[in-house]
Amino acid sequence: MTSVINVNLPTQSYEIAIAPASLDQIGQSLAGLKLGKKVLLVSNPTIFKHFGKIAVDSLEAAGFQVASYCLPAGERYKTLNSIQKLYDIALENRLERSSTMVALGGGVIGDMTGFAAATWLRGINVVQVPTTLLAMVDSAIGGKTGVNHPHGKNLIGAFHQPRFVLIDTQVLKTLPVRELRAGMAEVIKYGVIWDAELFNQLEQSKRLDQLRYIKPELMDAILTRSCQAKADVVGKDEKEGGLRAILNYGHTVGHAVESLTNYRLLKHGEAVGIGMVAAGQIAVNLGLWQQADADRQNALIEKAGLPTKLPAGLDIEGIIEALQLDKKVKDGKVRFVLPTQIGVVTVTDEVTSDHIRQVLQKM
Amino acid sequence: MTSVINVNLPTQSYEIAIAPASLDQIGQSLAGLKLGKKVLLVSNPTIFKHFGKIAVDSLEAAGFQVASYCLPAGERYKTLNSIQKLYDIALENRLERSSTMVALGGGVIGDMTGFAAATWLRGINVVQVPTTLLAMVDSAIGGKTGVNHPHGKNLIGAFHQPRFVLIDTQVLKTLPVRELRAGMAEVIKYGVIWDAELFNQLEQSKRLDQLRYIKPELMDAILTRSCQAKADVVGKDEKEGGLRAILNYGHTVGHAVESLTNYRLLKHGEAVGIGMVAAGQIAVNLGLWQQADADRQNALIEKAGLPTKLPAGLDIEGIIEALQLDKKVKDGKVRFVLPTQIGVVTVTDEVTSDHIRQVLQKM
């Protein structure tokens, strides 16, 4: 069964196709998009070993001229140096304005490939083929691309929408369990900020921490409802002028924690889980949210096998300082996304360092 | 007298204000644009010495919090390394999404500041204050930003429209004569590709090679008609899907010549002048253009004190090879903009290496 979700944008709309074993159809899918002949497939060594040949064979069978390149895996390689590598490969392969980069991998590969495509020849096509749950439900959709600055995550980047997003659900079978759990953090996020029905479905599952315990129908709902939530929000506010900021729920403290642990200790999704626990409690302390609902959220995060406490020994003042570097700071005030009910959030800049300190000290 | 030219674009329109001694009004001009408080002024040491204080004082008087940074002057510093410097400065000064970078300088400063603004926090505001004739009539308008790759000019970049363009005509008084001439190449280009009346006015002037020989009314016409031409073309085709390509007249061979001489021997405008002579002759040889009109064009280029011959000892096969790296290549074919009358051009991919070789061998 294939689900197709449309991302409707003023200048360029595109489809997200969700189907099992669809990777070997990628060539045909792209053939309909009026792209140039040349494709640069970007991946990492592990993913490429599993799925590279399937994708390349399908693209070549559809008439594309395909080059491939693997970047090393991991958030710490999400740097301008990696982008320069991609520029060199783009030049070697004489990519043209009509050419396409295909990102086959998780969030790091997707963000970097998207940014290289956004800035090579002032913008060439990119197609996202996410291979982690997190990339499928979040980072592959919506056009945010970028790399990290040594002092802050995703500070360097651009908006550059993909021409197409292909989600092959079979790929999840080889996904390490820790990656599945990290992705589940973003799924829980959609439940809290947008889709109470998804939240309820997640609550009904006995376990969320391993693929084999998640029923196929629930996995379908997780993917389609999450992608739909992201498409809805991005369609209403492509460049984060307003509404889109709600997608950053849990990311404010999350980013700071990732930065202070040098992007090595925690997966992005794990940090988001911790950030949601923190933001939820701030909301409760401010009288915006019921403690009972925060507890329901935290129970889901735990059920997904995710941490709900700060890593031991982390400097709380360091977190508060790092928040000032957040992209969402305006006139020196950190903006927080806070829940008011399951499925509804608000954005506020009324959260003080004291509010944050008080919550973090108890985590 | 202030002339205001509107650049009308689907997502964001902006004004080009042309007036003498307007730099000390920059603060007031920006105050009306609903920008954030923080401004990073980017310049080079020479320009900043002349005009930095005027701009900073005016911005501060209007309530902005201003930081300044100078990049070294020259095309050979138009690199990702310089952009990384700007990222570091942006971080140090805690620029926010609502903050603004102001580019005070020529094309190199404008392109780099624009690219840094396009990619910091996925895009912050940029205001262009061009200080060379070339930047005033061309590079400051239209949103093309970028840096050079070691193997090709402007291969790395993004479209990022300015919020405002301020042209202070007084600034031209301190412009070195060679820079004035280089800018005149782009002015002549507008005459050839778009505005026959501008072409005629340029022909009526006895000299075009020094500011003091150019009558004030002609200088007004040069600035306003050139900016209007650029605004017209960009307004019809922001991202170079079609029409905008005509602005690359003279740039195809021009870029290749610049690249082969390592961006050191020739100013960009000088290379464009040489490129126009080449493209004009290719058009004549293909039967598209009258030799008499090509001669009129070449006479204007000479009158502006610009070279019309290839630099001695340049490898013609090297130029032909470099053309394959041009951003305008499609399916391996180099696209040329060729005149058919004064004020009218066509775009073709029917120019072969033999056509190019034949013309370059005689230059």
Side-chain angles (χ1 to χ4, degrees):
Chain A
M1 196 200 78
T2 302
S3 304
V4 174
I5 290 163
N6 287 294
V7 184
N8 296 311
L9 298 171
T11 49
Q12 187 176 320
S13 298
Y14 55 95
E15 291 184 347
I16 307 166
I18 306 173
S22 49
L23 187 59
D24 62 4
Q25 308 294 312
I26 185 173
Q28 287 158 261
S29 299
L30 266 60
L33 295 176
K34 293 195 186 167
L35 308 170
K37 275 183 199 162
K38 290 187 183 182
V39 167
L40 174 61
L41 181 82
V42 181
S43 193
N44 71 40
T46 313
I47 299 292
F48 192 80
K49 206 181 77 185
H50 281 304
F51 309 112
K53 193 174 177 329
I54 301 174
V56 171
D57 285 354
S58 171
L59 287 163
E60 287 183 342
F64 292 102
Q65 189 181 325
V66 187
S68 310
Y69 187 73
C70 285
L71 287 166
E75 185 84 27
R76 65 183 168 284
Y77 296 103
K78 197 173 145 183
T79 61
L80 269 189
N81 276 348
S82 296
I83 299 297
Q84 279 183 283
K85 261 287 165 206
L86 291 183
Y87 291 152
D88 292 343
I89 302 298
L91 187 89
E92 265 174 40
N93 289 285
R94 302 280 185 271
L95 291 201
E96 303 172 358
R97 282 184 174 166
S98 61
S99 302
T100 306
M101 292 193 191
V102 173
L104 176 69
V108 172
I109 289 294
D111 283 5
M112 288 202 287
T113 308
F115 185 61
T119 52
W120 187 246
L121 310 182
R122 296 199 190 92
I124 66 172
N125 302 307
V126 66
V127 166
Q128 296 283 352
V129 186
T131 60
T132 63
L133 177 59
L134 188 139
M136 289 175 182
V137 298
D138 182 21
S139 59
I141 308 164
K144 281 197 178 178
T145 72
V147 296
N148 300 327
H149 185 277
H151 296 294
K153 203 171 142 78
N154 293 329
L155 292 178
I156 300 161
F159 285 95
H160 190 59
Q161 298 293 341
R163 295 291 305 272
F164 180 58
V165 180
L166 178 75
I167 297 178
D168 181 344
T169 51
Q170 294 276 52
V171 163
L172 291 175
K173 292 192 175 167
T174 58
L175 187 68
V177 66
R178 194 175 164 196
E179 295 278 1
L180 182 87
R181 294 170 181 183
M184 207 57 80
E186 300 281 357
V187 173
I188 295 167
K189 180 191 79 175
Y190 292 118
V192 176
I193 68 168
W194 194 255
D195 186 346
E197 170 57 28
L198 172 61
F199 191 97
N200 294 338
Q201 291 186 27
L202 294 172
E203 278 190 319
Q204 283 154 32
S205 182
K206 204 162 179 188
R207 296 180 65 165
L208 291 170
D209 57 332
Q210 288 189 47
L211 189 64
R212 61 187 163 132
Y213 298 124
I214 301 169
K215 288 190 186 136
E217 314 85 75
L218 177 61
M219 201 64 217
D220 275 351
I222 283 173
L223 290 169
T224 54
R225 297 193 84 105
S226 297
C227 289
Q228 189 66 58
K230 179 100 188 221
D232 286 349
V233 172
V234 170
K236 291 192 166 104
D237 175 25
E238 181 182 359
K239 298 210 173 158
E240 201 160 324
L243 178 71
R244 185 166 177 166
I246 70 170
L247 297 174
N248 296 317
Y249 176 58
H251 285 59
T252 309
V253 168
H255 280 165
V257 171
E258 278 186 280
S259 165
L260 281 178
T261 52
N262 298 311
Y263 306 109
R264 286 176 193 229
L265 187 67
L266 294 167
K267 299 266 163 207
H268 172 64
E270 293 168 345
V272 168
I274 292 168
M276 290 195 291
V277 174
Q281 200 57 47
I282 290 169
V284 170
N285 291 356
L286 287 173
L288 294 168
W289 207 26
Q290 305 275 349
Q291 184 70 55
D293 284 341
D295 292 344
R296 286 172 69 196
Q297 167 195 269
N298 298 350
L300 273 190
I301 295 170
E302 274 190 44
K303 193 160 71 176
L306 290 162
T308 56
K309 302 273 173 202
L310 288 178
L314 204 64
D315 175 23
I316 288 173
E317 293 311 311
I319 299 180
I320 289 167
E321 205 174 297
L323 290 175
Q324 292 298 322
L325 292 181
D326 195 276
K327 287 190 296 302
K328 295 167 283 296
V329 166
K330 192 166 179 193
D331 294 331
K333 286 184 173 173
V334 185
R335 311 190 78 194
F336 264 85
V337 182
L338 299 179
T340 57
Q341 336 169 9
I342 300 290
V344 184
V345 286
T346 186
V347 181
T348 175
D349 57 8
E350 299 296 310
V351 177
T352 66
S353 296
D354 278 344
H355 293 132
I356 303 166
R357 193 175 289 118
Q358 200 187 342
V359 164
L360 295 182
Q361 277 166 352
K362 293 190 183 156
M363 282 181 65
Chain B
M1 197 201 76
T2 302
S3 304
V4 174
I5 290 164
N6 288 294
V7 184
N8 296 312
L9 298 170
T11 49
Q12 187 175 321
S13 298
Y14 55 95
E15 291 185 347
I16 307 166
I18 306 173
S22 49
L23 187 58
D24 62 3
Q25 308 294 311
I26 185 173
Q28 287 158 260
S29 300
L30 265 60
L33 296 176
K34 294 194 185 168
L35 309 169
K37 275 183 198 162
K38 290 187 182 181
V39 167
L40 174 62
L41 182 83
V42 181
S43 193
N44 72 40
T46 314
I47 299 291
F48 192 79
K49 207 180 77 187
H50 282 304
F51 308 112
K53 195 175 174 327
I54 301 174
V56 171
D57 286 354
S58 172
L59 287 163
E60 287 183 343
F64 291 103
Q65 188 181 325
V66 187
S68 309
Y69 188 73
C70 286
L71 288 165
E75 184 84 26
R76 66 183 168 284
Y77 295 103
K78 198 174 145 183
T79 62
L80 269 189
N81 276 348
S82 296
I83 299 297
Q84 279 184 285
K85 261 287 167 207
L86 292 182
Y87 291 151
D88 291 343
I89 302 297
L91 186 89
E92 265 173 40
N93 288 284
R94 301 282 186 271
L95 291 202
E96 303 171 357
R97 283 185 173 164
S98 61
S99 302
T100 306
M101 292 193 191
V102 173
L104 176 69
V108 171
I109 290 293
D111 283 5
M112 287 201 288
T113 309
F115 185 61
T119 52
W120 187 246
L121 309 183
R122 297 202 188 91
I124 66 172
N125 302 306
V126 67
V127 166
Q128 296 284 353
V129 186
T131 59
T132 64
L133 178 59
L134 188 137
M136 289 175 182
V137 299
D138 182 21
S139 59
I141 308 164
K144 282 197 178 179
T145 73
V147 296
N148 301 327
H149 185 279
H151 296 293
K153 205 170 139 80
N154 294 330
L155 291 179
I156 300 161
F159 285 96
H160 190 58
Q161 298 293 342
R163 296 291 305 271
F164 180 59
V165 181
L166 178 74
I167 297 179
D168 181 345
T169 53
Q170 294 277 52
V171 164
L172 291 175
K173 292 192 175 166
T174 57
L175 188 68
V177 66
R178 193 174 166 197
E179 294 278 0
L180 182 88
R181 293 170 182 182
M184 208 57 81
E186 299 282 357
V187 173
I188 295 167
K189 180 191 80 176
Y190 292 118
V192 176
I193 67 167
W194 194 255
D195 186 346
E197 171 56 27
L198 173 61
F199 191 96
N200 294 337
Q201 291 185 30
L202 294 172
E203 278 189 319
Q204 282 153 33
S205 182
K206 205 161 177 186
R207 296 180 66 165
L208 290 170
D209 58 332
Q210 289 188 47
L211 189 65
R212 60 188 163 133
Y213 298 123
I214 301 170
K215 290 189 185 136
E217 313 87 76
L218 177 60
M219 201 64 217
D220 275 352
I222 283 173
L223 289 170
T224 54
R225 297 193 84 106
S226 297
C227 289
Q228 189 67 59
K230 180 98 189 221
D232 286 349
V233 172
V234 170
K236 291 191 167 104
D237 175 24
E238 180 182 0
K239 298 211 172 159
E240 201 160 325
L243 179 71
R244 185 166 178 165
I246 70 170
L247 298 173
N248 296 317
Y249 177 56
H251 285 58
T252 308
V253 168
H255 278 165
V257 171
E258 277 186 281
S259 165
L260 282 178
T261 53
N262 298 310
Y263 307 108
R264 287 174 195 232
L265 186 67
L266 294 167
K267 298 265 164 208
H268 173 64
E270 293 168 346
V272 169
I274 292 167
M276 289 195 290
V277 173
Q281 200 57 47
I282 290 169
V284 171
N285 291 356
L286 288 174
L288 294 169
W289 207 25
Q290 306 275 349
Q291 183 70 56
D293 283 341
D295 292 343
R296 285 172 68 196
Q297 165 195 271
N298 297 351
L300 272 191
I301 295 169
E302 273 190 44
K303 194 160 70 175
L306 289 162
T308 55
K309 302 272 174 204
L310 288 178
L314 203 63
D315 174 25
I316 287 174
E317 294 310 312
I319 298 179
I320 289 168
E321 205 173 298
L323 290 174
Q324 291 299 324
L325 291 183
D326 196 275
K327 285 191 296 303
K328 294 168 283 296
V329 166
K330 194 168 177 191
D331 294 333
K333 286 184 172 173
V334 185
R335 311 190 78 193
F336 264 87
V337 181
L338 299 178
T340 56
Q341 337 169 8
I342 300 290
V344 184
V345 285
T346 185
V347 181
T348 174
D349 58 6
E350 300 294 310
V351 176
T352 65
S353 296
D354 278 346
H355 293 131
I356 303 166
R357 193 176 288 117
Q358 199 187 344
V359 164
L360 294 182
Q361 276 165 352
K362 293 189 183 156
M363 282 182 64

